[in-house]
Amino acid sequence: MATYLEFEEKIKKIEDDIIIAKTRADEPAVEILNKKLDKEVEKTFKNLNDYQKLQLARHPDRPYALDYINALLSNAYEIHGDRHFVDDSAIVCYLGFIGEQQTLIIGEQKGRGTKEKLKRNFGMPSPEGYRKALRAAQMAEKFQIPILMLVDTPGAYPGLGAEERNQSEAIAKNLYEFANLTTPTVSVVIGEGGSGGALAISIADKLAMMRYSVYAVISPEGCSAILWNDPTKVETAAQALKITAENLKHQNLIDDIVNEPLIGAHRKKDEAVMALKEYFLDSIEELKQLTPKERQEKKYQKIMNLGSFSE
């Protein structure tokens, strides 16, 4: 059963009316209601504020990494473990083909349902997860296999065990090693990009965000608690943090925005998958026009220009 957010209630009402009209085989009513639905979707989704986009990024029906992997990848083979401690299920690594293109996909997986969420630690990776991602990436580097990274995490796991196993070092090493990869790399924020947990698999030749994804150094809830000690300030914090794809593109912090369906990836998952597939394959073709050295130099210059400004 579909889940509707508060601002989607009018859309839900029209969709319920369409279902009733279809059960009555009232085709003229269905046609009228479909036109009404299109207008309501355009009106609603073209006027979303930053907090509403945050809600969409966290929508329980939104496609997760494994949803995209299962839809995109053929001849898929999962890579397990960091060969040091354990296999972290919050990060998944799959080798396979997207169309004709051999690809390694590294994704952060949140999980659905209580059992799956616990297994995936709510999408919060531990150090061994980032080390697994690095091990898989280094294998892809050896054979010059392009890498697609799917970012979707509230942040790296902040537990005592993760700190004991050097969480910060694992993230820092990924930043350094991914920056030095010469194989073509594309990273896409598909949902929630939280702090260093997202950054650890975001260093790529091209960094993009889905239309309704968010990327922030801290969650709006954490920001409102620290700055105002007031949970009611979450919307204000979301606006101030500039977490949306449009804001980050304007600041030149990301390269592109992947245009998922206007109504959201959670309503039209097949169209969202195709949008991601087309973006990745087009990006790889573009990156293949450069030599490995040229790609590395371009990535270096992009990283060095982050945060630059002029008065």
Side-chain angles (χ1 to χ4, degrees):
M1 186 176 179
T3 302
Y4 291 84
L5 300 172
E6 185 178 348
F7 63 86
E8 295 178 299
E9 283 303 314
K10 290 183 179 179
I11 293 172
K12 179 181 183 301
K13 176 66 170 61
I14 297 171
E15 289 184 341
D16 288 344
D17 290 342
I18 290 173
I19 292 171
I20 293 171
K22 284 181 177 179
T23 59
R24 294 173 176 170
D26 190 346
E27 293 302 324
V30 171
E31 185 177 349
I32 292 170
L33 287 167
N34 277 326
K35 289 179 180 179
K36 185 178 179 182
L37 178 63
D38 290 340
K39 288 181 181 179
E40 187 60 40
V41 166
E42 186 169 358
K43 176 184 173 183
T44 300
F45 283 85
K46 283 195 172 181
N47 294 286
L48 296 175
N49 60 39
D50 290 357
Y51 181 67
Q52 288 170 330
K53 290 178 181 178
L54 172 67
Q55 290 178 295
L56 286 174
R58 295 172 172 173
H59 199 289
D61 296 335
R62 191 170 180 83
Y64 291 156
L66 280 176
D67 296 316
Y68 286 108
I69 290 169
N70 291 332
L72 288 172
L73 216 57
S74 60
N75 297 327
Y77 179 84
E78 185 172 7
I79 298 169
H80 291 281
D82 67 341
R83 292 187 176 173
H84 287 281
F85 184 66
V86 74
D87 184 32
D88 182 6
S89 296
I91 285 189
V92 293
C93 303
Y94 280 82
L95 188 64
F97 289 84
I98 298 179
E100 300 292 321
Q101 178 62 62
Q102 189 172 23
T103 306
L104 171 71
I105 300 184
I106 300 170
E108 291 168 320
Q109 176 68 17
K110 288 182 173 179
R112 302 189 196 281
T114 303
K115 186 176 180 180
E116 183 74 8
K117 286 179 179 179
L118 290 172
K119 176 185 175 182
R120 305 288 180 184
N121 199 30
F122 299 86
M124 295 185 292
S126 295
E128 48 273 15
Y130 296 118
R131 292 178 181 130
K132 174 170 71 170
L134 178 57
R135 181 173 78 85
Q138 288 173 334
M139 181 192 68
E141 171 77 355
K142 181 177 180 180
F143 298 101
Q144 287 295 291
I145 299 170
I147 302 172
L148 171 61
M149 292 170 272
L150 303 178
V151 179
D152 190 15
T153 179
Y157 181 54
L160 180 60
E163 294 300 326
E164 289 174 340
R165 297 189 299 278
N166 298 313
Q167 181 75 287
S168 58
E169 184 272 342
I171 293 173
K173 187 169 184 180
N174 273 27
L175 301 183
Y176 178 81
E177 296 292 347
F178 276 79
N180 284 306
L181 295 178
T182 59
T183 192
T185 54
V186 177
S187 184
V188 181
V189 184
I190 58 172
E192 187 177 9
S195 193
L199 194 61
I201 60 168
S202 292
I203 303 299
D205 294 307
K206 299 198 78 171
L207 173 60
M209 294 175 65
M210 300 291 279
R211 187 204 298 259
Y212 300 129
S213 64
V214 296
Y215 203 168
V217 69
I218 189 173
S219 69
E221 291 84 358
C223 178
S224 62
I226 291 170
L227 292 185
W228 299 293
N229 194 27
D230 184 355
T232 65
K233 297 282 189 179
V234 173
E235 291 191 44
T236 303
Q239 182 72 29
L241 284 168
K242 307 296 182 186
I243 59 178
T244 65
E246 290 82 2
N247 284 324
L248 273 77
K249 182 71 172 69
H250 178 72
Q251 297 294 331
N252 294 318
L253 295 174
I254 63 171
D255 298 299
D256 299 297
I257 298 173
V258 180
N259 283 320
E260 65 181 270
L262 180 65
I263 199 171
H266 61 296
R267 295 280 179 256
K268 295 185 177 181
K269 294 181 182 180
D270 290 344
E271 290 185 24
V273 168
M274 285 306 300
L276 180 60
K277 178 180 180 179
E278 289 173 9
Y279 175 76
F280 173 71
L281 294 177
D282 289 346
S283 297
I284 293 302
E285 285 304 309
E286 179 186 329
L287 292 169
K288 282 183 176 179
Q289 303 306 309
L290 305 173
T291 66
K293 187 175 180 180
E294 287 172 337
R295 284 197 297 269
Q296 201 170 28
E297 177 62 24
K298 189 174 181 180
K299 181 164 51 176
Y300 173 79
Q301 291 300 331
K302 182 176 75 169
I303 293 169
M304 294 306 293
N305 287 330
L306 292 174
S308 63
F309 68 95
S310 58
E311 295 186 19

